[in-house]
Amino acid sequence: EVQLVESGGGLVHAGGSLRLSCAASGFSFKDYTIAWFRQAPGKEREGVACITTSDGSSAYYPNSKKGRFTISSDTDKNTAYLRMNDLNPEDTAVYYCAAADGVDWCPTGSMATPAFFGSWGQGTQVTVSS
């Protein structure tokens, strides 16, 4: 059974940093593409970043998140990470880890939606105070 467990969320002041972790089990990590999504109250779930664990190539949604957010993975630990710097209140949301089976690339454009990813974690809350 595919399981994704997020951790690392919490309350942080504006300008602060957090590193989220996504521990995966029940599948071969290298055969999946992993992504981070987030959902703020009253808003749709939106993509944050994606990584292909086989070669570490990544994509950011939208691309402007690159620079503040960094996605990475450790295939030995079956864990993906999202490092978030210079956080602001607009980053407040539940952050979800997602996995796409048998995919070796990150979707872009109109394909970069939650429907592309078949497995999801329970989410971790990130709250940024002003």
Side-chain angles (χ1 to χ4, degrees), residues 4-112:
L4 301 168
V5 180
E6 303 95 333
S7 61
L11 174 64
V12 63
H13 292 298
S17 299
L18 284 173
R19 189 181 78 158
L20 306 182
S21 298
C22 172
S25 62
F27 64 97
S28 176
F29 199 61
K30 292 182 180 179
D31 293 335
Y32 280 66
T33 287
I34 306 295
W36 286 96
F37 282 75
R38 69 184 185 183
Q39 188 165 20
K43 295 188 177 181
E44 292 187 354
R45 192 168 298 189
E46 65 172 2
V48 175
C50 172
I51 189 166
T52 54
T53 57
S54 59
D55 63 5
S57 58
S58 59
Y60 294 85
Y61 315 117
N63 200 45
S64 59
K65 288 187 177 71
K66 189 176 183 179
R68 290 199 304 126
F69 292 3
T70 303
I71 190 170
S72 62
S73 66
D74 185 332
T75 54
D76 291 336
K77 296 182 178 179
N78 269 19
T79 301
Y81 304 96
L82 183 68
R83 175 71 180 183
M84 306 185 294
N85 295 326
D86 193 23
L87 287 162
N88 58 68
E90 289 70 37
D91 295 316
T92 294
V94 177
Y95 284 70
Y96 297 91
C97 176
D101 181 15
V103 175
D104 195 27
W105 47 276
C106 283
T108 58
S110 61
M111 293 189 68

